[in-house]
Amino acid sequence: MDKYCINSIGYLGSFFLTIMFIPQTYSVWKNKSYDCIQYIFLVNALFTSLCLGSYGLYYQKYPIVIGNTSVFVNTMILLYLKYKNNI
């Protein structure tokens, strides 16, 4: 495979990673069902996205950066909603 094909696969994967969390985030927000998401999952998702995002920045792998930035943002939204609801 050539570099263009591999890059296209990377950006496609980044796109699907980006949209993967949106239905869950919307469902949690709409239904106010914050108990179904565990803090350990959210912390793990944050740590994972930070590590992989740093890796992507260092090696200039922008599909990795884009995908993990979107995971980070969605996870922060879920973490905020869960925390706000549990106060």
Side-chain angles (χ1 to χ4, degrees), residues 2-32:
D2 65 344
K3 186 176 181 177
Y4 176 76
C5 184
I6 294 297
N7 284 339
S8 297
I9 292 170
Y11 282 106
L12 184 63
S14 175
F15 171 75
F16 283 112
L17 183 61
T18 298
I19 65 170
M20 179 177 71
F21 272 94
I22 294 172
Q24 181 66 38
T25 303
Y26 179 74
S27 175
V28 167
W29 174 71
K30 182 181 175 191
N31 298 323
K32 310 284 189 244

Side-chain angles (χ1 to χ4, degrees), residues 7-84:
N7 284 339
S8 297
I9 292 170
Y11 282 106
L12 184 63
S14 175
F15 171 75
F16 283 112
L17 183 61
T18 298
I19 65 170
M20 179 177 71
F21 272 94
I22 294 172
Q24 181 66 38
T25 303
Y26 179 74
S27 175
V28 167
W29 174 71
K30 182 181 175 191
N31 298 323
K32 310 284 189 244
S33 57
Y34 307 107
D35 292 336
C36 66
I37 297 181
Q38 301 297 317
Y39 278 114
I40 191 71
F41 167 77
L42 296 173
V43 170
N44 188 31
L46 284 176
F47 184 70
T48 301
S49 64
L50 287 172
C51 288
L52 285 174
S54 299
Y55 171 85
L57 281 174
Y58 182 81
Y59 286 106
Q60 298 179 344
K61 304 295 182 190
Y62 299 112
I64 293 173
V65 174
I66 293 167
N68 284 286
T69 299
S70 69
V71 169
F72 180 82
V73 170
N74 270 295
T75 304
M76 289 300 295
I77 292 169
L78 288 170
L79 189 61
Y80 171 76
L81 291 172
K82 183 166 178 68
Y83 178 75
K84 182 180 172 186

